[in-house]
Amino acid sequence: MIQIQVPMEILKLAHFSLLIFPLLFIAAVSDVDPISEALLSLKSELIDHSNSLSDWIIMPSSPVNSSSDDKIVACSWSGVKCDSNSSLLIGLDLSVKNLGGALSGKQFNAFTEILDLNLSYNSFSEQLPQSIFNLTNLRSLDISRNNFSGHFPKGISNLQQLVVLDAFSNSFSGPLPADVSEIQSLKVLNFAGSYFSGPIPSEFGSFKNLDFIHLAGNSLSGEIPPELGMLKTVTHMEIGYNTYEGSIPWQLGNMSELQYLDMAGANLSGVIPKELCNLTKLESIFLFRNMLNGMLPWEFSSIVSLQSLDLSDNLLSGTIPDSFSELKNLRLLSLMYNDLSGTVPEGIAELPQLDTLLIWNNYFSGSLPQNLGKYSKLKYVDVSTNNFVGEIPSGICTSGMLLKLILFSNNFSGGLYPSLSNCSTLIRLRIEDNSFSGEMSLIFSNLPDITYMDLSRNKFVGRITSDIAKASNLEYFNVSNNPELGGVIPEKIWSLLYLQNFSAASCGISGNIPAFEVCKSVIVVELSRNNLSGTFPGSVSNCQGLMMMNLSSNNLSGHIPVELANLPAINILDMSHNRFSGRIPMEFGNSSSLKLLNVSFNDLSGSIPLEKSFRLMDSSAFIGNPRLCGVPLRPCYHGKGMPRGLELGSRKTQKFAWVLISCAVIVLLIVSLIFGIIHFRKGAKDDWKIVSFSGFPGFTAHDVLRSFNPTEATNAFSHSVCKAVLPTGITVSVKKIEWEPKRVDTMSRLIDRMGNARHKNLARLLGFIYNKHLAYLLYDHLPNENLAEKISLKRDWDTKYKIIIGIARGLYFLHHDCFPAIPHGDLMASNVVFDENMEPQLAEFGLSSLFQISNSHFPATTNPETGEVSTCTKDQLYKDIYYFGELIMEILTNGRLKNAEVQIKNTSKVVLLQDIFNENEISPSNPIQEEIKLVFDVALQCMRSRPSDRPTMEDALKLLLQLKHQKT
């Protein structure tokens, strides 16, 4: 080793330099100009998560001010704007810099000449410093999308030059500041998205130059002040998503410049004042989700500039006025979820700009306008759940832009040709529960983008055409309950790459089941009550995702293929009422996912597998196979199959035994007949009905009622359940809902949508029974514990990531793949359950919406921009995302950080992350730290205080899947 000696003089010099350098730096800072010094002081208060202010620094070599030099050193720093001489600070833009912390405001006294101050898109918290109102030259103040809290400070009226005040999306509480109305120069006023309470100050009607006012999404109450009608310069007003009292003031009709009016979700009642029709410059009116009643004002026809009219989710009655045909600029017409009736005026079809027509859930009758689609640019049409008759208008797809056509639950008739023969843009087609007839006449090769198609419960004939395999994006296909359809199953149906659901029950289909060449995505296959024959193809082994298959009531024969028993996800398999022979493959006993195997009424022999899952199944799943034995049927014997008790003894004893058995059967029949008569009479009163979803055997309502004690069934909005063992042995969880007769249709439709939501990360709603007063929801019973019970267990990072991704996929499906969207509404660890493969599933989704409908007047809503329909408010979807963020934090900390909002506000990100690393025993050198950081950041984004700042579930899932791509 070579040793080098450093002279002592050099070491002393180095030591001296280390001492003198900070002294020079301090001296330099002490001589800096007051503006730069104030900015450095401000920086010292901030939490700079992304080091965005790294250039806010003064080096010893930097020139400092002298008496002859008035230039501001900070003029070159990011976000700092000075005049042309660099002698005055005129703007400070700290927006979107990932800054946090509380502001003392002591530095603002140095910024007396500043004109524009922008602090938006950060995480500043606590109170807004009152000293900010000493900046009397301000023209623009933007503090939006932060977490400022407490009452809004007094003194805003000092800013007499202010033109823009944007405080959107914070956590302010208390009353709105009435003194802001003293700023007559103000043009933009945005106090939306906080927790302001109390009434809108009547002083807000005194602005003379205001153009934009946004107060929505607070906790405002009281009546809307009629003084707002004095705002003659306002063009844009949003004051909805509050809880007002009373009606819409007619004085708002005096706001002559108004172009955009949004008072949705505001608890408003009464009639729509006809004076609003004086607002002839209006382009958008959003009054949905209120309690408005009366008739649609025919005077709306005078607002010729109107583009969007959404009056849905109210109590409006009467007809659509013929005068609406004069609204030539109308793009969105949403009247769904009201009490409207009559026919749709023919003139609606001639509106040239109309792209969204949403009138579902009313009492409309007659035919749709025959020219609908010919002269307009239709994209979304939903007229479901009305009393329409007649055929689909022949020109419905003329514009070449139609994406979604929803016609279910009406009395439409006729065929699909020519109206849908060339509808190449369709993504979603729902025409179930009508009286359509004739051949389907759909050319699937002309439907390249179709993903969802439900043609069930109609009267189609002919067959499913073989070119269905050319609908390359098809995910869901249901043609069940078209008894005269006939034909065969198309040979290449399983080759559709994205097909998840194929339902063709009760269709008179014959022939063989095609080979399962490619079926990676298939989850549900329903082919019951047809005339299928031949053997079942062993190539079903390719269907690794298959969860449910119903082949009952056909003429299938041969052996049950062992490949079915080896499917990893198979849950329900119904092969009853066929001609299968041979033994039940013993491999079924090894299936961890199988809940029901119904092989009743076949020609099977041998013994039933001995595994526990089979012992739990009811005998009704195996009866009708004389040569089949074992639990839960008769014991298996080595002789001729007769129980020894009947083989022994004299012939006289045996004859006596058979006489006793015969008498018992006769008595049982008589008793059953008596109970049947009583039951029939009682049934007229109770009128129980059953609705079954994919994968639920064909039970009657009384089969279900006999399987559990109704007094033990808990309310659907509690977290406990009642278990029921149905006749085939399948175990379900039962939840009870009480409802008023007038809400039966509304709530049952929502339950129907919940039941048809099928995804591997959603617990399945199998069906429900109901009468006029209550319903019992039947859920897939999952015996494993939920996440809350397992949250404290130490897990490796890959397992935690899998759970988070599974939850995210389930939420994504509810928010983005269901139309209308379904909010979960009660996302928490106890509502994340695990299947047999420990795959997370979201339980009890949609129940909060049921609760709202059953206990209040909460109706469905629409998205004004896209016309998408939703039975929830956007707020509910935002809440799902927030609680998803909280759930991530729980998973990352093994349940220690529950309801993490307070900890996140009071603890720095660095400290929280370190706690998480320690909790998971992740060392600093472990690359997993970066993966956890990514997931942690997604959680923080989901938990932002202002809902509009949170990502959608689509965005959140994309961010989380980035990690998956990195790992692969």
Side-chain angles (χ1 to χ4, degrees):
M1 179 182 296
I2 300 175
Q3 293 183 346
I4 299 176
Q5 290 186 346
V6 180
M8 185 60 67
E9 291 78 3
I10 295 178
L11 289 174
K12 289 181 178 179
L13 181 60
H15 180 68
F16 176 76
S17 299
L18 290 173
L19 290 173
I20 199 65
F21 181 84
L23 294 176
L24 290 172
F25 178 75
I26 292 170
V29 172
S30 65
D31 289 338
V32 78
D33 60 272
I35 297 296
S36 301
E37 188 175 6
L39 289 172
L40 288 175
S41 174
L42 176 63
K43 178 183 177 181
S44 70
E45 294 182 354
L46 306 181
I47 301 172
D48 189 354
H49 297 292
S50 302
N51 203 21
S52 302
L53 305 181
S54 59
D55 62 338
W56 282 30
I57 188 171
I58 296 177
M59 299 300 293
S61 58
S62 299
V64 296
N65 291 339
S66 65
S67 58
S68 60
D69 187 359
D70 294 329
K71 292 188 180 299
I72 300 172
V73 174
C75 289
S76 61
W77 296 350
S78 58
V80 178
K81 182 179 180 181
C82 298
D83 65 353
S84 57
N85 296 324
S86 297
S87 58
L88 292 176
L89 175 68
I90 60 174
L92 183 59
D93 185 355
L94 300 182
S95 61
V96 202
K97 293 190 182 296
N98 199 20
L99 301 173
L103 302 178
S104 69
K106 63 184 181 181
Q107 305 87 359
F108 292 137
N109 291 329
F111 306 151
T112 54
E113 303 299 325
I114 193 171
L115 302 177
D116 302 293
L117 178 59
N118 191 342
L119 306 177
S120 64
Y121 288 93
N122 285 295
S123 301
F124 295 124
S125 58
E126 298 188 21
Q127 286 198 322
L128 181 71
Q130 190 173 18
S131 58
I132 206 168
F133 300 146
N134 295 332
L135 307 178
T136 54
N137 289 310
L138 273 182
R139 296 179 307 185
S140 174
L141 175 59
D142 190 345
I143 56 173
S144 64
R145 293 176 173 84
N146 279 287
N147 197 28
F148 290 116
S149 59
H151 287 208
F152 195 83
K154 295 181 179 180
I156 184 70
S157 58
N158 292 341
L159 306 182
Q160 286 297 310
Q161 308 302 316
L162 200 63
V163 176
V164 174
L165 173 58
D166 192 347
F168 175 74
S169 188
N170 277 281
S171 296
F172 292 116
S173 58
L176 290 167
D179 59 338
V180 71
S181 61
E182 299 175 22
I183 307 175
Q184 291 305 311
S185 57
L186 203 63
K187 290 188 176 181
V188 173
L189 176 62
N190 193 342
F191 280 131
S194 275
Y195 302 99
F196 287 111
S197 58
I200 299 174
S202 59
E203 291 90 338
F204 276 20
S206 62
F207 291 105
K208 301 301 180 186
N209 293 289
L210 198 65
D211 177 72
F212 178 101
I213 181 170
H214 192 358
L215 308 176
N218 282 289
S219 301
L220 300 175
S221 58
E223 296 188 352
I224 296 176
E227 287 84 356
L228 293 185
M230 299 167 60
L231 297 174
K232 300 294 182 67
T233 58
V234 169
T235 63
H236 185 114
M237 183 165 78
E238 293 183 66
I239 59 174
Y241 294 101
N242 285 291
T243 311
Y244 303 117
E245 300 169 4
S247 58
I248 300 173
W250 64 265
Q251 289 88 346
L252 299 188
N254 295 327
M255 301 175 68
S256 53
E257 295 298 317
L258 199 60
Q259 299 175 20
Y260 187 101
L261 175 62
D262 188 343
M263 293 191 290
N267 197 43
L268 296 168
S269 58
V271 299
I272 300 173
K274 63 181 181 180
E275 286 81 3
L276 292 186
C277 305
N278 297 332
L279 306 177
T280 56
K281 295 184 179 181
L282 266 180
E283 296 177 359
S284 300
I285 304 177
F286 299 115
L287 301 177
F288 59 85
R289 208 193 127 201
N290 281 292
M291 295 186 293
L292 301 171
N293 55 35
M295 304 181 71
L296 299 174
W298 64 267
E299 295 91 345
F300 271 169
S301 59
S302 62
I303 314 176
V304 294
S305 57
L306 198 60
Q307 298 178 20
S308 298
L309 177 60
D310 193 338
L311 307 177
S312 58
D313 310 352
N314 279 290
L315 305 172
L316 299 170
S317 58
T319 62
I320 300 177
D322 290 336
S323 60
F324 277 25
S325 304
E326 301 173 23
L327 299 173
K328 301 301 182 183
N329 291 296
L330 197 65
R331 292 179 56 250
L332 164 68
L333 178 60
S334 180
L335 305 173
M336 64 91 177
Y337 217 97
N338 276 289
D339 295 323
L340 298 168
S341 58
T343 59
V344 179
E346 288 289 335
I348 296 295
E350 299 177 9
L351 298 176
Q353 304 299 323
L354 189 67
D355 63 31
T356 302
L357 178 63
L358 305 172
I359 56 175
W360 64 275
N361 205 346
N362 279 287
Y363 299 97
F364 290 116
S365 57
S367 301
L368 289 176
Q370 289 306 299
N371 289 328
L372 189 64
K374 280 188 178 180
Y375 306 111
S376 53
K377 303 175 181 179
L378 286 181
K379 292 182 181 179
Y380 306 96
V381 175
D382 191 340
V383 302
S384 60
T385 320
N386 279 287
N387 298 310
F388 286 114
V389 297
E391 300 185 358
I392 301 174
S394 59
I396 193 79
C397 295
T398 300
S399 68
M401 302 172 69
L402 190 63
L403 300 174
K404 297 181 180 180
L405 180 60
I406 316 295
L407 309 177
F408 66 82
S409 297
N410 280 285
N411 296 306
F412 288 112
S413 58
L416 305 184
Y417 181 86
S419 54
L420 301 183
S421 58
N422 190 26
C423 222
S424 59
T425 54
L426 267 182
I427 294 175
R428 196 174 186 89
L429 175 64
R430 295 191 61 182
I431 60 172
E432 70 267 26
D433 192 19
N434 279 286
S435 298
F436 289 111
S437 59
E439 296 188 0
M440 286 191 295
S441 306
L442 290 174
I443 304 173
F444 288 97
S445 58
N446 290 342
L447 299 170
D449 298 321
I450 194 79
T451 62
Y452 191 106
M453 184 180 294
D454 195 334
L455 314 176
S456 62
R457 302 198 297 279
N458 281 289
K459 301 175 182 178
F460 289 114
V461 299
R463 59 193 173 94
I464 304 171
T465 55
S466 59
D467 73 333
I468 189 174
K470 295 180 180 179
S472 56
N473 288 297
L474 191 61
E475 298 176 8
Y476 181 99
F477 181 78
N478 190 351
V479 73
S480 296
N481 295 298
N482 284 277
E484 305 299 322
L485 183 64
V488 299
I489 301 172
E491 280 291 327
K492 296 184 178 180
I493 184 64
W494 315 122
S495 65
L496 286 166
L497 289 179
Y498 304 108
L499 186 67
Q500 296 181 20
N501 187 104
F502 181 80
S503 298
S506 299
C507 286
I509 295 174
S510 58
N512 298 332
I513 297 175
F516 296 89
E517 296 175 0
V518 181
C519 63
K520 291 183 178 180
S521 299
V522 176
I523 297 175
V524 174
V525 175
E526 291 187 292
L527 297 171
S528 61
R529 302 185 300 281
N530 282 295
N531 300 312
L532 297 170
S533 58
T535 60
F536 189 84
S539 55
V540 72
S541 59
N542 292 323
C543 304
Q544 294 292 295
L546 188 65
M547 295 176 63
M548 177 270 171
M549 178 175 281
N550 192 340
L551 306 171
S552 63
S553 302
N554 280 286
N555 294 309
L556 298 169
S557 58
H559 289 228
I560 297 175
V562 69
E563 289 84 358
L564 276 171
N566 293 328
L567 293 177
I570 194 67
N571 197 264
I572 292 179
L573 180 59
D574 193 340
M575 310 181 79
S576 61
H577 294 274
N578 278 285
R579 294 189 291 124
F580 288 109
S581 58
R583 303 174 67 88
I584 299 175
M586 291 294 108
E587 287 79 359
F588 274 117
N590 300 324
S591 175
S592 61
S593 60
L594 188 66
K595 283 188 171 56
L596 172 65
L597 174 65
N598 190 345
V599 293
S600 59
F601 298 99
N602 279 284
D603 190 22
L604 299 174
S605 58
S607 60
I608 298 170
L610 298 175
E611 280 71 17
K612 180 180 178 181
S613 58
F614 280 82
R615 293 199 300 272
L616 294 175
M617 294 182 192
D618 192 79
S619 60
S620 59
F622 305 101
I623 60 174
N625 294 280
R627 295 185 293 166
L628 195 63
C629 61
V631 177
L633 298 181
R634 62 185 175 83
C636 293
Y637 299 103
H638 297 291
K640 296 181 180 180
M642 291 293 292
R644 299 186 190 275
L646 293 180
E647 287 180 354
L648 297 176
S650 65
R651 182 171 296 179
K652 185 176 180 180
T653 302
Q654 292 183 29
K655 184 180 293 184
F656 181 69
W658 283 113
V659 170
L660 287 177
I661 292 172
S662 300
C663 291
V665 170
I666 294 171
V667 170
L668 183 63
L669 288 173
I670 294 172
V671 171
S672 298
L673 180 61
I674 294 171
F675 274 97
I677 294 171
I678 296 172
H679 189 64
F680 177 77
R681 290 176 177 174
K682 185 180 178 182
K685 179 181 179 181
D686 290 341
D687 195 23
W688 285 99
K689 298 178 182 178
I690 186 167
V691 175
S692 301
F693 303 121
S694 298
F696 197 51
F699 298 122
T700 66
H702 291 283
D703 288 334
V704 178
L705 286 170
R706 286 196 301 267
S707 302
F708 70 100
N709 183 353
T711 61
E712 295 179 358
T714 58
N715 189 282
F717 315 115
S718 68
H719 291 287
S720 56
V721 295
C722 164
K723 289 195 297 185
V725 180
L726 299 179
T728 56
I730 184 172
T731 302
V732 297
S733 299
V734 183
K735 289 223 164 195
K736 178 175 69 176
I737 295 177
E738 295 181 1
W739 52 25
E740 299 176 20
K742 66 179 181 180
R743 300 191 190 276
V744 171
D745 289 344
T746 301
M747 295 183 73
S748 61
R749 278 193 290 270
L750 178 54
I751 297 172
D752 189 68
R753 292 200 301 108
M754 291 161 54
N756 286 310
R758 286 288 187 260
H759 190 274
K760 72 175 183 177
N761 295 116
L762 297 179
R764 295 185 309 157
L765 176 58
L766 299 175
F768 67 103
I769 60 173
Y770 69 100
N771 61 20
K772 290 182 179 181
H773 301 287
L774 62 102
Y776 294 105
L777 306 186
L778 309 176
Y779 284 93
D780 201 0
H781 178 66
L782 297 177
N784 288 336
E785 295 175 316
N786 58 49
L787 180 59
E789 295 166 318
K790 295 176 177 287
I791 195 75
S792 60
L793 297 178
K794 297 285 186 180
R795 290 188 177 89
D796 61 86
W797 170 240
D798 285 340
T799 301
K800 288 187 175 183
Y801 177 70
K802 176 186 175 183
I803 293 172
I804 292 169
I805 287 294
I807 296 169
R809 289 188 189 278
L811 275 181
Y812 171 85
F813 181 84
L814 291 174
H815 286 201
H816 298 283
D817 282 349
C818 293
F819 182 84
I822 301 175
H824 186 286
D826 195 19
L827 186 64
M828 60 178 69
S830 60
N831 281 335
V832 178
V833 295
F834 295 95
D835 65 10
E836 293 79 359
N837 300 314
M838 294 309 294
E839 184 75 31
Q841 294 185 356
L842 303 184
E844 303 200 1
F845 59 87
L847 289 186
S848 65
S849 296
L850 284 176
F851 179 77
Q852 289 178 341
I853 294 173
S854 67
N855 287 277
S856 67
H857 50 267
F858 279 92
T861 62
T862 60
N863 181 323
E865 297 177 359
T866 65
E868 293 283 337
V869 184
S870 172
T871 56
C872 64
T873 66
K874 246 182 181 178
D875 295 340
Q876 289 175 296
L877 299 180
Y878 283 138
K879 285 179 182 177
D880 277 357
I881 295 164
Y882 180 87
Y883 291 125
F884 174 59
E886 283 203 334
L887 208 47
I888 292 177
M889 298 299 290
E890 281 192 65
I891 294 169
L892 291 180
T893 61
N894 298 323
R896 184 177 54 80
L897 202 58
K898 188 175 182 181
N899 300 323
E901 181 179 6
V902 176
Q903 291 93 327
I904 289 174
K905 284 183 179 180
N906 298 328
T907 311
S908 73
K909 175 181 174 182
V910 174
V911 173
L912 282 172
L913 267 175
Q914 191 56 55
D915 286 347
I916 291 171
F917 296 150
N918 294 338
E919 186 77 37
N920 291 274
E921 300 176 356
I922 305 296
S923 64
S925 60
N926 195 324
I928 288 178
Q929 279 204 4
E930 292 303 315
E931 298 177 7
I932 292 177
K933 281 182 183 178
L934 186 149
V935 176
F936 177 76
D937 285 337
V938 173
L940 291 184
Q941 290 183 48
C942 292
M943 293 178 65
R944 286 172 177 162
S945 57
R946 296 281 36 92
S948 56
D949 293 344
R950 299 168 197 160
T952 63
M953 274 314 302
E954 180 176 20
D955 294 333
L957 182 58
K958 284 180 181 177
L959 290 171
L960 291 170
L961 289 177
Q962 286 179 8
L963 178 55
K964 181 179 180 181
H965 298 322
Q966 292 170 12
K967 296 173 77 164
T968 55

